Structures are given as C-alpha cells and as structure tokens.
Amino acid sequence: MVDSIFEKMKSGEAARLHPTVPDSKKEEKATAILLATFRVVPDFARAMLSGAGIKVGKRSQIECYTEVALEIPGEKRKIRPDGLIVITTGKKRWTAFIESKTGTSELKQDQCEEYLQLAKLLGIDAVLTISNQYSTVPTHHPIRVSKAKTKKVGFFHFSWLSIMYSATLQIDSHSIEDPEQAFLLKELIRFLKHPSSGVSTFSRMPKDWTTLCSAVKQGAALKKTDPMLSEVVLSWHQLVRFLALELTASVSEPVQVKLARKYIKESSERVADDKDRVLKSATLISELSIPNAASPMLVAADLRRRTLNLGMKLEAPGDKKRASATINWLLRQLKGLERDDLLIRAIWPRRTPDTTASLAQAREDVNCLIHENTKDLPQSFEVIRVIDLAGKFGGVKTFVESAANEVPAFYKDVGEHLRAWVAPPPKLKSKEQASKSDSEGNIDVNKEPTEAKEGSARDMPEKRSEDVPRERSMIELPDWYSRG
C-alpha cells in the first residue's frame, strides 16, 4: 500500500534542516525543520509520537518529506500536504500527512475532513496537525470532525509549544546522548523560540468569554446548547493545557492535565460535564498533575465571584494523637510563607463540618480549626488561594495573563514545600519488650476455641454509614467556593 503512495507522489523531497523556501512561508519552513530533526534525532520523534499512541521502535526507520504533491485517483487535481512521515518497522509501515499552521492561522474543519478523506483513499494511516492551538492530549483534537472520518484514519494534534517543551525536556534530562543530535535539538528549540518561527503562546480567551462572564454576573439564563458555552469550555481546556506546558518548562518535568479515564477515551464527555458544571455552579475546574508533588494542583475559575482559585489537598498524618499536632504538621511545611490570601481547610470525618481559617489565623491559634469537645482528628487538609480578579476576570487577555502568573506563583509558594505524609518504618523491639509480648501472647494450642457469644466482637458487624470516613475531593466537591 505504501509503495503505491510513492508511485502517486509527483513531487517531494527529504525534509531539510535548512529549507530553501522563502522566509514568508513560515509554515513550510517550520515543518521542514521539525521533520528534518525527526529524521536526525529519532529518539525525539519517538518521544513525540508515543504521546499519540504511535509505536516507533529502536530499529524503526523514519523518513520525512516536504513539498509533497500526490495524485488523487480519478481526479486531475493534486493534494499538497505540508509534510509526509513514513515509519518502517520490519515489514510494517506507518504513514501520516502533516498539516501545519503558524502564527494566528488556525486549522479549519473542512480542510481537516478533506485530508482525512483523502488519507483513507490513498491508504495513509493518519493525519497529524500542528498549530498554535492546544489539545490536552494528542488524541483530543481541537477541531471537531465527523467521527466517520476517523474510523480508519488516525487524527492527532500537537501544539508548537508542546513540541518545543518536549525537546527541552529531552535536553534537560540528558536523554539524547549523541552530542551532535543534542546540538541539533537545541537548534530546533532556538528556532521555535524565535518570533520569526511563527510559534506563539496562548494569549487570549475567545470573545465569548467576556459575554459569558457578563451573562453570569447578570444572572441570565444559560442553555447547554448555547454555542457560546461550548466555545468557552474548549478555550478553558486549551488554557489549562497551556498552563501545564508553562509549568513543565519551569520545573523541567512533564506536567500533565489530570483526566478521568472516561475523558481520555472520549473528550466530548469532558466538554459536556464542564458545560453542566458552568450551568450548575458557574465554575470551570481542572487539575494539574506534577511529578512527585504532594497532590495534583486544582485550578478553578469562579465566574460568579470572578475569582481564580488554586489549591492542593493532603491526607492528614496517621501517627498523631491530637488534632493540634496534626494541624501543626501542615503549618510546619508552610513555615516562612507570608501570604494574606492563603486559606487552610480541615476536613473532618463523618458528618462533622469542615473548618476554614487563614494561614495567619491558624498560626496564631490552631484551635480555630478544631471543633470544641471533639476527639476526632482531621482526615485531610486543603491549602487554598482565592485570587479576586475583579474587572480583570472578564478580559480575554487579562484573565489569561493572571492565570499564567498565579499558577506558577502558587506552586512556588505552596506546591514546592508540601510533602505527603508517609508512615514511618517499624522499629525493632528491645529484648525485654519482645519477651513480654511472647509471655502475654502465649496460646494453649490444645485448648478448643470457645464459641463466640451472640453480639460479641467476633460477629464482625458491618460498619454503619456514619462510621465510614468521607471521601472528598476538591475537584468533585468544591464546597469551599460557596463559603465566600
């Protein structure tokens, strides 16, 4: 099948690091340089494509072409994708069209669907798009196309920024051992960072963002079928992905948007659930998963109060006997941090209400977080920052700027210092303790066990619902939003 592809290729050449196309053709130039790097640094190509579930073995041969023109069977016209990737592993071959956009140019539905249709006709395995638009994972495409078009052809998307940061992680982790390959990868990063490359960051929400914020503030009735709502939710997903990439660059570790399994399989369910949340509570909520952090970081926008809310949740230590000692365990982790807008929230077992106090109040008196006459210990804690953006909240640029500044600031102030509790290792008993335990634990093996009496502990009654600790999550039950 692939051989027939080359037979239909009327023009095309191997991707070059120094393409001869005019500087005005930014898309063709960026695509050529990227694909040439794929050819020379196969480990980089392998790392990128694995995110889309594409397997590239150590012995796979990667060929990349640009300025491609392919004949369409039965038609006089030709298809001219920005690039073509051919990966050969033994007798198997995988092929993909590349369609790229730079600057403010965006992918279009009709164009994507045409490429998918032609890919199926020509036996191409996938269509891979690259632009300054964002997708949470490569399989969640920012452009919605007919599902019938993707039944036999893969449809994947990468942002230029994700490509640049993936290359940066490879350099920072020293995973590219060949010095010449590492040099070329650094040159790719240098090129993508330059304004002339056409690579840009996520800088603004859509116009519908301002409209939706005004509608929520005025108490207007919203409908799930409103196109404005879908546009805002999809932009929120792009913003959160952008924030994850920016944090990735800052910590030199891959920060991901945390997704439920059902959302990974079907991105439309995530969109639908987020639309429902906006209608019910006027909030947009996501979580960022940071390697080795104590917990995921919650990022939420409260459209009604016009606040950006950030938080992290820790399980309380299990080796404390007093509630005050449990709270002090958390406060010690935040020692030296002076922020007026940090809140500490203690989550208690059963139906005991949660307690909330500012960091300063908790430091002054830990009892402000403890219920009177209680012997219970907190189950978990949340460290929360509520940023009142006021007029900036509804601005398409100012909201993004605020989020881009506050997310890394919260991680630096809080996330870097929080540590999840780990049970200490068991200690060896002294000889006297071991001897005493043996004497107290002697059992006459010749004696028949007595019948358990009705109602005794051996009946093992089931726990009542009120005895079972509550499982809570900031993402599922953000009731602190309603506390003002």
Side-chain angles (χ1 to χ4, degrees):
M1 179 64 72
V2 175
D3 291 337
S4 65
I5 296 300
F6 288 112
E7 290 173 4
K8 293 181 176 67
M9 187 187 293
K10 296 304 176 182
S11 65
E13 64 173 43
R16 304 293 183 184
L17 285 167
H18 300 287
T20 56
V21 297
D23 290 339
S24 59
K25 294 188 174 182
K26 292 184 177 181
E27 292 170 2
E28 291 87 342
K29 186 176 182 179
T31 304
I33 293 173
L34 171 65
L35 294 185
T37 308
F38 276 3
R39 290 177 56 202
V40 183
V41 192
D43 283 343
F44 172 56
R46 187 177 297 111
M48 285 299 307
L49 297 175
S50 65
I54 301 163
K55 295 182 179 180
V56 184
K58 288 285 186 181
R59 297 183 179 180
S60 296
Q61 181 182 358
I62 302 174
E63 300 173 78
C64 299
Y65 301 89
T66 57
E67 300 183 52
V68 177
L70 295 164
E71 274 191 350
I72 301 173
E75 298 184 29
K76 293 183 178 180
R77 67 189 180 101
K78 298 177 182 178
I79 180 174
R80 300 178 184 275
D82 292 322
L84 175 69
I85 297 179
V86 180
I87 299 176
T88 306
T89 307
K91 295 182 179 181
K92 294 182 179 181
R93 282 180 176 174
W94 180 88
T95 55
F97 282 149
I98 305 297
E99 174 60 21
S100 64
K101 301 289 184 183
T102 58
T104 57
S105 299
E106 294 191 351
L107 299 162
K108 304 296 182 183
Q109 179 183 357
D110 56 350
Q111 186 182 34
C112 289
E113 289 190 342
E114 182 181 19
Y115 272 116
L116 288 167
Q117 184 176 348
L118 292 173
K120 179 182 177 181
L121 185 64
L122 294 170
I124 297 293
D125 296 294
V127 173
L128 196 158
T129 61
I130 308 170
S131 73
N132 286 320
Q133 296 158 277
Y134 296 84
S135 61
T136 305
V137 291
T139 52
H140 291 187
H141 208 282
I143 303 301
R144 291 190 174 187
V145 299
S146 170
K147 288 187 177 181
K149 302 288 185 181
T150 58
K151 283 186 177 180
K152 294 186 178 181
V153 180
F155 192 38
F156 310 108
H157 179 76
F158 294 94
S159 67
W160 286 110
L161 201 63
S162 70
I163 291 171
M164 184 177 74
Y165 287 157
S166 178
T168 302
L169 286 178
Q170 294 245 322
I171 294 298
D172 289 347
S173 63
H174 303 287
S175 59
I176 306 298
E177 296 180 357
D178 185 288
E180 293 179 351
Q181 291 187 15
F183 170 76
L184 291 176
L185 202 54
K186 289 177 182 178
E187 286 298 293
L188 173 65
I189 296 168
R190 178 177 174 271
F191 166 73
L192 294 176
K193 284 184 175 181
H194 197 277
S196 66
S197 68
V199 176
S200 60
T201 62
F202 188 89
S203 60
R204 58 189 298 136
M205 298 292 281
K207 293 180 180 179
D208 286 336
W209 171 256
T210 301
T211 306
L212 180 63
C213 290
S214 298
V216 170
K217 184 179 181 181
Q218 295 169 11
L222 299 172
K223 295 182 179 179
K224 193 173 182 178
T225 55
D226 194 331
M228 170 180 66
L229 194 57
S230 296
E231 185 72 15
V232 167
V233 167
L234 289 171
S235 294
W236 168 258
H237 292 171
Q238 290 201 45
L239 170 60
V240 175
R241 172 58 174 160
F242 166 68
L243 295 174
L245 289 172
E246 288 288 278
L247 205 53
T248 293
S250 298
V251 301
S252 296
E253 293 286 348
V255 177
Q256 304 291 341
V257 180
K258 186 178 179 182
L259 295 178
R261 185 175 299 177
K262 67 175 183 177
Y263 296 154
I264 297 175
K265 293 182 178 179
E266 186 52 70
S267 61
S268 61
E269 288 197 30
R270 182 187 179 204
V271 174
D273 287 351
D274 281 354
K275 287 166 66 175
D276 284 336
R277 183 176 288 113
V278 172
L279 295 175
K280 292 176 182 177
S281 62
T283 55
L284 288 162
I285 301 175
S286 294
E287 282 187 305
L288 300 180
S289 182
I290 306 163
N292 301 319
S295 80
M297 183 196 300
L298 176 137
V299 182
D302 189 327
L303 281 76
R304 188 171 290 118
R305 292 177 175 79
R306 299 200 163 201
T307 60
L308 178 67
N309 308 304
L310 309 171
M312 295 182 74
K313 181 176 181 179
L314 277 74
E315 297 302 315
D319 60 346
K320 307 298 181 185
K321 295 183 179 180
R322 292 178 292 112
S324 58
T326 305
I327 297 170
N328 280 325
W329 167 83
L330 175 66
L331 295 179
R332 281 194 295 271
Q333 298 189 45
L334 301 174
K335 185 178 180 181
L337 177 59
E338 300 296 337
R339 293 284 307 207
D340 296 333
D341 56 356
L342 269 185
L343 300 175
I344 305 296
R345 182 186 187 194
I347 298 175
W348 300 82
R350 296 184 293 276
R351 297 181 181 178
T352 306
D354 303 338
T355 53
T356 304
S358 68
L359 177 60
Q361 290 172 328
R363 282 174 174 165
E364 186 175 344
D365 182 11
V366 295
N367 291 315
C368 67
L369 287 168
I370 303 173
H371 292 283
E372 292 184 8
N373 302 319
T374 183
K375 295 182 180 179
D376 289 328
L377 300 179
Q379 282 182 223
S380 56
F381 298 104
E382 291 172 359
V383 183
I384 304 159
R385 177 174 292 163
V386 179
I387 303 110
D388 186 357
L389 296 180
K392 292 182 179 180
F393 189 91
V396 294
K397 285 188 175 181
T398 52
F399 177 76
V400 174
E401 290 170 356
S402 298
N405 291 330
E406 295 294 347
V407 166
F410 179 81
Y411 181 73
K412 182 178 181 179
D413 290 343
V414 177
E416 287 184 3
H417 305 287
L418 294 182
R419 298 289 182 269
W421 179 77
V422 178
K427 296 181 179 180
L428 285 173
K429 295 179 180 179
S430 64
K431 292 183 179 180
E432 293 78 6
Q433 288 174 322
S435 177
K436 184 178 180 180
S437 296
D438 289 342
S439 64
E440 291 177 350
N442 286 340
I443 299 175
D444 187 349
V445 296
N446 296 317
K447 185 176 180 180
E448 291 291 332
T450 58
E451 291 290 332
K453 294 182 180 180
E454 185 178 353
S456 70
R458 293 182 64 184
D459 287 335
M460 297 295 289
E462 293 185 1
K463 289 185 177 181
R464 296 174 298 174
S465 60
E466 61 265 29
D467 293 331
V468 180
R470 288 182 294 167
E471 291 294 332
R472 301 178 186 169
S473 167
M474 291 190 295
I475 197 72
E476 295 174 357
L477 189 64
D479 49 304
W480 49 273
Y481 290 120
S482 62
R483 299 184 179 230

